[in-house]
Amino acid sequence: MPITILIGAQWGDEGKGRVVDWLAASADIVARYAGGDNAGHTVALDGEVYKLHLIPSGILHSNVVSVMGNGMVINPISLVREIDALRKLGVQITPDRLVISSRAHIITPAHIALDRARESALGESKIGTTLRGIGPAYLDKTGRAGIRTGDMLLDVEEFAERLVAAIESSNEDLYAQGLESLDAREAAQNYLDAADFLRPYIRDVSIYLYEALKAGKKVVCEGAQGTLLDIDHGSYPFVTSSSPTAGGALTGLGVGPLFVERVLGVAKAFSTRVGGGPMPTELDGPVAGHFRGSGANFWDEFGTTTGRPRRCGWLDVVMLRYAVGVNGLSELMLTKMDILSGLDELKLATAYEIDGERFEYPPVTNAQLERARPIYETLPGWGVDINSCRHFSDLPAAARNYIRRVAELCDVPIDIVSVGPERDQLVINHAQ
């Protein structure tokens, strides 16, 4: 059973990119199964910062094949741009090292325009999307009106006509909203150039992975966003348009569950969220500022894709406990433990109080969640820098107790924590 599924256990931005990078050291394939360039994975390596939006983080390992699954929606222009940027940083990218599913869907310029128009029309009720065309692309997919990457393998003229027709159809929606329509043929030309570049990378990913798994290859499945943004299991409608949970990995790559050995959840040692929607432990003031940072460093709490400051709060164990159950997590990893250093006391939201009733798991409706008052448990903080810790015994007693308490409350082992952004800034917990 050679598959490890990596899951974001919160609202995304948990630090999955650097965890994938770590797991990739012992993997043959890293396969991404959902989302588009609304994701932002940041990996620090030897003083260089790599920001990835579409390509799996495994691309930074020369012995790993990176796979983009059918569950993704791909902007070909953005993908070509990302490949070029990585090549300039010395990363080798060839069709032997990057495989794109022929069943993934294409984001068109019309999808981006519609995304912006719909968010603007929502006003105060806006969802907070990244405005990259993700939602409209998934709408076309489920509405059976989308264009797939496999269509780029068609005759050039046939692909161009499909693309022009799709953009012209979307122009009708833009016109109805009083917005300027797109020049369909001009937009299509840019996509034709990208299609010509990407054609050698496109193949049937499901068969590719099946053959690899039968041969005993080790596969890491990389998600985008997090469990609490899942289209079915998140705080709908303040969610993404795909399934970043464990089930989404199987459908988003076309692999069966019998190959899965490990489901690793990743969560920050505190909570963050970008965009709209309820967040019971959200804070204002000095503690939120401590979590967020100034924005001067890539490790600070500002979106990799949007640059927006993230909403910050104490670790929400109620939500984390829910993520453990939804995904069937076999273990949990905490990132950014080092950010908690310097706080006199720490709080964990162990339950909610809603209208006089105690909730151990999130309520069904957003209206209830908006009224949720966290029930906190207070733990002592630690004042020392933990960036240089590499063993569980190196950590201050208060940090070890924090990790143990989160593991106990979630009923799942925590074997790894990160104490900084670099690849080697990990603490392996052998005490669980």
Side-chain angles (χ1 to χ4, degrees), residues 290 337-346 379-387 395-399:
H290 179 95
M337 278 289 294
D338 53 305
I339 302 300
L340 299 184
S341 297
L343 294 172
D344 293 332
E345 63 178 26
L346 307 171
L379 286 77
W382 57 91
V384 298
D385 190 337
I386 62 173
N387 291 108
L395 293 169

Side-chain angles (χ1 to χ4, degrees), residues 239-317:
V239 293
T240 192
S241 299
S242 59
S243 298
T245 46
L250 304 181
T251 57
L253 292 170
V255 297
L258 293 181
F259 287 110
V260 179
E261 178 180 41
R262 181 186 188 193
V263 184
L264 171 61
V266 183
K268 284 176 185 166
F270 51 97
S271 297
T272 67
R273 182 170 191 171
V274 172
M279 182 182 174
T281 66
E282 184 173 9
L283 298 171
D284 291 316
V287 175
H290 179 95
F291 289 152
R292 187 176 296 115
S294 65
N297 302 309
F298 80 92
W299 196 233
D300 291 336
E301 292 299 341
F302 292 79
T304 303
T305 299
T306 63
R308 290 181 293 186
R310 294 177 184 137
R311 301 156 63 190
C312 297
W314 296 115
L315 183 61
D316 192 330
V317 176

